Amino acid sequence: MPEILYVSYERLSPEWIADDFCPVLPDLVIEIISPGQTFGQLTAKAKDYLDAGVLRVWVVDSKARSITVFYPDAPPQTYMGDTLLIDSLFEGLELTAEQVFNKAGIPNTILPS
């Protein structure tokens, strides 16, 4: 179950040493659906993260080529194709699910209808 965590430097104490345990919750957790996992399982995990105080959770589904963003105070949003993902939490970040999958070298196996 791959996951990536992001913590902004603004939330870290100036005394924090990079090799020490991180003293704050991450701003963002990215969960990547692995074989044997379901979207529903990661949705429940996303809720747990948000309940703990994480600000954003992204669930990445390479089969559906989608990124679903979970918020603590709004319904989740799913981004696919060239729909622009912009989030006020990450100023200046603009990307699409298609850019993410192309950059990662994940081929598009979904056949057009």
Side-chain angles (χ1 to χ4, degrees), residues 55-86:
L55 301 175
R56 295 292 184 279
V57 180
W58 293 6
V59 174
V60 178
D61 184 342
S62 62
K63 286 186 180 181
R65 295 181 76 81
S66 67
I67 300 171
T68 301
V69 180
F70 292 83
Y71 306 90
D73 55 357
Q77 288 189 285
T78 298
Y79 297 86
M80 299 176 80
D82 291 328
T83 302
L84 200 57
L85 192 164
I86 300 172

Side-chain angles (χ1 to χ4, degrees), residues 7-75:
V7 178
S8 64
Y9 280 112
E10 291 81 28
R11 295 184 61 211
L12 293 171
S13 162
E15 293 83 33
W16 180 71
I17 300 171
D19 290 336
D20 283 351
F21 174 78
C22 184
V24 297
L25 288 169
D27 299 68
L28 169 67
V29 173
I30 301 173
E31 287 281 353
I32 302 167
I33 298 177
S34 299
Q37 287 183 311
T38 66
F39 182 80
Q41 288 170 322
L42 291 184
T43 297
K45 198 171 178 182
K47 182 182 178 326
D48 291 342
Y49 281 124
L50 295 172
D51 289 347
V54 173
L55 301 175
R56 295 292 184 279
V57 180
W58 293 6
V59 174
V60 178
D61 184 342
S62 62
K63 286 186 180 181
R65 295 181 76 81
S66 67
I67 300 171
T68 301
V69 180
F70 292 83
Y71 306 90
D73 55 357

